[in-house]
Amino acid sequence: MPAVDRNPLPITDLLDWSDRDKSLLLSVLTGLLMLGFLGWLLFTVNYTRFGEQFLSVEGAGLARDIFLFNVIGWLLLSCWGMALHKTKRHSVAYPNVCIHFFGFSFLGIGYVMGLYNPIVGLVLVGSPLTGFILFDFKRVTCSLVIHTVMVLAIYALIVQGKLQYAPMLKADPVTKDLVSVYWVNSMIAFATPFLAMVFGFTYVLLRRWQIREKQIRALAVTDPLTGLDNRRALFDQFSYELARSRRSGNPVSVCVMDLDHFKQINDRYGHAIGDKVLLMVARVLRDCLRETDRIGRIGGEEFMLLMPETDQQGAEKVIERCRQRLNDTPVEVEGQAPFHISASFGVTCSGTGDTLGEEQLFSRADQALYLAKEAGRNRMAFWSLSQEAVPA
């Protein structure tokens, strides 16, 4: 099945690019690097003493042909990728050709410059890493195996004297008695952009892992529809606030809120409007609660409000403000008259000397909610030890 075409994505979303666009980026970057090799060779041969002292005429000619072949190859691959991108088409062959040509390009460089060259070492380490970041494991592993075998074959032929080692060089520019500064600086100059490319791709990968980890953590504690805390996050915070309350002696109040007749809204207007109502409720509650309060969705139309350092009188003021605002906020429905909603609230407070845990206190608030509904809905009820639950 062909890949689904996407709109252009920023470089930070590189891992979301199609294989076509990843291959196009690889073609352009590698092509520029190969152009740098060719430019270095021409400059070195024609304008430096290093060329006269260390480069073989025949070897430099062979290197020029290989470098030029690489530049033309990557130019053609870049044009192919641009044509595919412009026409929004995908090709299974294009990424495969790019991956294998990448190996062949550096294999030729390694042969003419010497397999013990630092550039070859960097490529052997950095290329698989870059490949595994950009493409699938099987495809990259196949290319890696093929080119590793070819490196070993070239090495074997050199040992047997059937191939010349580093034919571009007629003398070794780095020995025990001589170190060519020009050669060392040239190798550093070639290694820097390659390392930058590998580092950039690795940074994108690590950054994406960090983003996804944050998203996973957020999903674990967040209601996906409303963006509010979910039950797990709320009870973790509830446990913390209870412990803090017992240390400080300050009360903490918890409220369970349920939308009245929410099933009728879904049945009459559809679940899309039901979701719209839940989003509106979340927005209203956020506006009505204080910065220190926590709110979350713990069920279909059930919400939980956690109010630290709040006694019954304070909780009553906060919840009445929420109840009234919900009553006064219309829900707009396209093609129909807007309607209003209401909610019922059950509240309990934990004071000094109270040793109940969060589950027991939640159960009390839930019992109070049941009483509020039994008393006619659109109201709040407080749990009381003497009266079980007292409507307000």
Side-chain angles (χ1 to χ4, degrees):
M1 182 179 294
V4 178
D5 197 70
R6 304 184 181 191
N7 294 326
L9 294 170
I11 191 67
T12 51
D13 291 332
L14 176 62
L15 298 184
D16 292 327
W17 290 17
S18 65
D19 283 351
R20 175 202 64 197
D21 292 339
K22 292 176 185 177
S23 300
L24 175 57
L25 177 63
L26 182 66
S27 299
V28 172
L29 294 178
T30 310
L32 292 174
L33 186 59
M34 295 302 167
L35 187 62
F37 275 103
L38 179 62
W40 172 86
L41 179 63
L42 296 176
F43 175 81
T44 301
V45 168
N46 294 296
Y47 299 103
T48 68
R49 293 183 58 189
F50 178 87
E52 298 177 2
Q53 185 177 359
F54 292 100
L55 296 187
S56 162
V57 175
E58 296 81 5
L62 176 62
R64 181 197 60 224
D65 293 341
I66 290 176
F67 293 169
L68 183 60
F69 173 79
N70 288 342
V71 169
I72 294 174
W74 286 113
L75 176 62
L76 293 175
L77 287 173
S78 298
C79 292
W80 185 8
M82 289 178 184
L84 291 172
H85 182 83
K86 186 175 181 179
T87 57
K88 297 184 178 180
R89 292 166 48 224
H90 293 269
S91 168
V92 176
Y94 179 60
N96 291 333
V97 173
C98 288
I99 291 171
H100 288 290
F101 193 67
F102 186 91
F104 281 115
S105 297
F106 283 98
L107 190 64
I109 293 174
Y111 168 62
V112 296
M113 298 180 72
L115 292 178
Y116 296 114
N117 189 287
I119 294 295
V120 178
L122 287 173
V123 172
L124 287 175
V125 174
S127 296
L129 176 61
T130 300
F132 290 136
I133 291 173
L134 294 178
F135 304 103
D136 60 274
F137 180 83
K138 182 178 179 180
R139 184 183 292 172
V140 175
T141 301
C142 177
S143 177
L144 178 62
V145 170
I146 291 173
H147 294 107
T148 300
V149 170
M150 294 182 71
V151 168
L152 295 175
I154 292 173
Y155 173 76
L157 292 173
I158 291 172
V159 171
Q160 295 172 12
K162 297 180 180 180
L163 283 179
Q164 182 183 359
Y165 177 77
M168 185 181 74
L169 302 172
K170 65 181 179 182
D172 193 344
V174 179
T175 66
K176 186 174 182 179
D177 300 318
L178 171 69
V179 176
S180 171
V181 175
Y182 180 83
W183 176 258
V184 173
N185 289 340
S186 296
M187 294 303 99
I188 293 174
F190 284 131
T192 299
F194 183 80
L195 286 175
M197 184 170 67
V198 175
F199 176 81
F201 290 147
T202 304
Y203 170 80
V204 170
L205 174 65
L206 295 178
R207 182 61 180 159
R208 173 48 59 91
W209 278 350
Q210 291 172 348
I211 292 173
R212 288 181 176 175
E213 184 178 4
K214 290 180 180 178
Q215 292 173 339
I216 291 171
R217 288 179 179 178
L219 288 174
V221 297
T222 305
D223 173 59
L225 175 63
T226 62
L228 299 175
D229 290 342
N230 62 13
R231 184 186 182 97
R232 173 184 174 182
L234 276 171
F235 273 82
D236 285 346
Q237 185 67 23
F238 194 4
S239 178
Y240 168 79
E241 293 296 346
L242 276 179
R244 194 163 69 94
S245 170
R246 286 160 187 163
R247 289 195 303 269
S248 65
N250 295 321
V252 57
S253 296
V254 60
C255 169
V256 180
M257 185 201 92
D258 190 82
L259 297 180
D260 297 331
H261 307 296
F262 184 72
K263 183 177 183 303
Q264 295 179 12
I265 295 174
N266 278 331
D267 293 342
R268 180 175 178 181
Y269 298 101
H271 288 280
I273 297 300
D275 289 346
K276 182 179 179 180
V277 169
L278 294 173
L279 288 169
M280 183 271 288
V281 169
R283 184 178 66 253
V284 168
L285 293 177
R286 283 194 191 101
D287 292 341
C288 292
L289 294 178
R290 304 160 300 182
E291 290 186 2
T292 55
D293 298 332
R294 295 288 293 270
I295 174 179
R297 182 181 175 209
I298 57 175
E301 67 272 20
E302 196 171 47
F303 296 79
M304 177 175 163
L305 287 64
L306 183 61
M307 294 165 281
E309 299 183 6
T310 305
D311 58 14
Q312 180 171 324
Q313 185 178 7
E316 185 172 357
K317 291 180 181 179
V318 172
I319 294 169
E320 177 58 26
R321 183 166 64 243
C322 295
R323 190 194 67 80
Q324 192 61 51
R325 182 74 67 84
L326 288 172
N327 285 170
D328 295 340
T329 304
V331 179
E332 303 290 340
V333 182
E334 186 177 355
Q336 301 185 49
F339 64 91
H340 292 260
I341 63 170
S342 65
S344 302
F345 303 81
V347 191
T348 188
C349 301
S350 175
T352 304
D354 199 336
T355 59
L356 294 179
E358 57 270 17
E359 290 289 350
Q360 291 90 342
L361 290 171
F362 174 82
S363 178
R364 286 184 173 184
D366 202 41
Q367 292 175 36
L369 171 64
Y370 178 79
L371 181 64
K373 286 185 171 292
E374 287 292 308
R377 293 185 170 85
N378 192 24
R379 66 192 66 221
M380 74 182 82
F382 287 84
W383 191 91
S384 170
L385 182 62
S386 59
Q387 303 176 25
E388 288 298 313
V390 180

